[in-house]
Amino acid sequence: MPTTLVTGANGFVAAHIIDALISSGHDIVGSVRAATKGKEILDLHPEWASKLKFVPVADYTKAGVWDEVFHEHDVDYVIHSAAPLLDDERNTDFERDFLKPGVDSALEILKSATKYGKSLKAIVVTGSINAVTTGQDVGERVYDSNAWLPLAIKDAIEVQNPYISYCVSKAEAEKAIWKYVEDEKPAYSVSVLLPALIFGPPIQPIKSVKKMNYSTDRLYELFNGTFEVVPPTSFPSYIDVRDLATAHIKSLTTPEVFNKRFLVGGLSYSTTIAVNSFKSVPELKGRLPKENDEVAKVPLFGDVHDWNEKLDLKLRSADETFGDTARRVLELEKQLGV
């Protein structure tokens, strides 16, 4: 059975990646900031215990921090999903909280993999469409695998805005990855997936419905009384987290995406689409905001559907994605309180 290293194993996306990897027969080494985080995962998912072990990595940017992981485990694949979080209130400085952890964590895992990953075949990285756009130019330019964010480090330093910092750091981290690949020509392949918004039922450890993960929190606001009227859409495209997990796993062994960056998903999204899907959940009757008069923007995607086809993705419907998310959050309300 292949062994796969998953970084940031207690995250929203990583939890689904782990679930899908186990279903595909992988043994998993998951990195977490502290051993207690690993315990929380197995307390929630005891069915994963025989296939999942954890390594505590407190500082993903420290030189050589991944060396021991590759020494102790014969790793076949890596899925690097760990990254600075947009919704972490402690992240206020671009260079300290976004740029350095984003770039250095990616480079350190590449360096250790090159030195000690003797069985390593592929690394797949969870990137973001924010390496392409902030969303301010929807409908004005085409988003495809060749497009890059029209902002630079100096822009992020100047404005010190968490969202701009996040976008620029995603672009700079990815550029650092591709420069490393070009310069070092590692024996393993590297693929970077660029999803837009990521929605779906949260299966990672959660302590309060007041803070689950960024995208689930935004959906929860649509039925927890935050809004009387459906709010504006932040970005008009998404992918189901379960489909994204599948895309990661298929990218490990699909030659057509080796050493490529590519958009994935590309489904149309608006807050109205989400609210209309919530109407299929009986428990949400009386909890949904009133309709708005927003005219949803339509992103211009150049090649996202081509990449979906290369990975043979069968994307879930909006009713499935948003209905499943709502039902999971309702379960969490009962378990954790409101």
Side-chain angles (χ1 to χ4, degrees):
M1 296 297 179
T3 296
T4 300
L5 169 64
V6 178
T7 68
N10 59 318
F12 169 57
V13 175
H16 281 279
I17 289 172
I18 289 169
D19 189 44
L21 283 169
I22 289 174
S23 295
S24 299
H26 289 239
D27 292 317
I28 300 158
V29 179
S31 75
V32 287
R33 299 284 183 180
T36 54
K37 298 295 184 182
K39 183 178 184 304
E40 289 174 359
I41 294 171
L42 291 181
D43 285 345
L44 181 61
H45 294 286
E47 71 277 12
W48 293 352
S50 65
K51 304 291 288 184
L52 173 61
K53 61 183 66 175
F54 296 100
V55 291
V57 180
D59 183 359
Y60 287 15
T61 69
K62 184 179 178 182
V65 70
W66 299 102
D67 290 357
E68 187 175 348
V69 176
F70 284 99
H71 272 307
E72 294 188 357
H73 304 278
D74 192 18
V75 176
D76 296 287
Y77 303 106
V78 173
I79 296 181
H80 181 45
S81 68
L85 298 175
L86 175 60
D87 58 341
D88 189 333
E89 296 177 354
R90 297 170 296 179
N91 292 343
T92 58
D93 182 82
F94 167 66
E95 293 179 275
R96 180 193 67 215
D97 300 323
F98 291 95
L99 184 63
K100 180 177 173 57
V103 171
D104 289 0
S105 65
L107 290 180
E108 285 304 322
I109 203 162
L110 291 170
K111 291 175 184 177
S112 295
T114 300
K115 289 179 183 176
Y116 304 112
K118 303 307 180 185
S119 301
L120 189 65
K121 302 170 184 67
I123 294 180
V124 172
V125 179
T126 310
S128 171
I129 199 172
N130 289 122
V132 173
T133 178
T134 62
Q136 298 301 308
D137 53 7
V138 171
E140 299 175 8
R141 57 189 279 253
V142 175
Y143 305 144
D144 61 26
S145 55
N146 296 311
W148 285 94
L149 185 74
L151 294 174
I153 289 174
K154 62 180 179 61
D155 300 306
I157 293 174
E158 182 179 340
V159 300
Q160 289 294 341
N161 172 278
Y163 179 63
I164 298 301
S165 293
Y166 176 79
C167 294
V168 174
S169 72
K170 297 301 286 189
E172 294 302 320
E174 194 191 338
K175 289 176 181 177
I177 289 170
W178 293 122
K179 186 177 187 306
Y180 181 91
V181 171
E182 181 180 0
D183 292 347
E184 302 300 327
K185 297 177 174 55
Y188 52 82
S189 67
V190 177
S191 304
V192 180
L193 279 62
L194 306 173
L197 294 171
I198 307 167
F199 295 120
I203 63 170
Q204 77 277 16
I206 291 172
K207 296 180 181 179
S208 171
V209 294
K210 294 180 179 179
K211 188 172 180 59
M212 292 173 281
N213 56 275
Y214 179 80
S215 62
T216 306
D217 291 344
R218 300 293 77 76
L219 290 182
Y220 188 39
E221 289 174 345
L222 299 178
F223 60 90
N224 71 357
T226 297
F227 297 106
E228 292 186 6
V229 178
V230 176
T233 302
S234 59
F235 189 82
S237 184
Y238 80 99
I239 186 171
D240 188 294
V241 66
R242 295 163 292 189
D243 297 330
L244 181 59
T246 298
H248 279 78
I249 295 165
K250 289 189 173 184
S251 294
L252 296 172
T253 56
T254 302
E256 290 85 351
V257 304
F258 290 174
N259 297 317
K260 303 288 186 181
R261 69 190 297 262
F262 53 95
L263 298 168
V264 63
L267 295 173
S268 295
Y269 173 72
S270 70
T271 46
T272 296
I273 288 174
V275 169
N276 285 341
S277 294
F278 291 154
K279 292 176 182 177
S280 67
V281 181
E283 296 90 335
L284 294 184
K285 185 176 182 179
R287 294 183 60 169
L288 300 177
K290 299 175 183 177
E291 295 181 2
N292 65 18
D293 57 359
E294 178 183 40
V295 178
K297 294 182 178 181
V298 179
L300 302 176
F301 285 119
D303 55 6
V304 65
H305 300 300
D306 295 336
W307 295 107
N308 290 344
E309 289 181 5
K310 290 180 192 296
L311 294 176
D312 192 28
L313 295 182
K314 304 293 188 284
L315 301 177
R316 287 169 169 80
S317 69
D319 283 351
E320 190 171 359
T321 296
F322 300 113
D324 289 352
T325 302
R327 284 182 281 271
R328 174 58 182 154
V329 172
L330 289 170
E331 290 176 358
L332 291 170
E333 280 189 339
K334 291 179 182 179
Q335 295 170 10
L336 305 173
V338 179

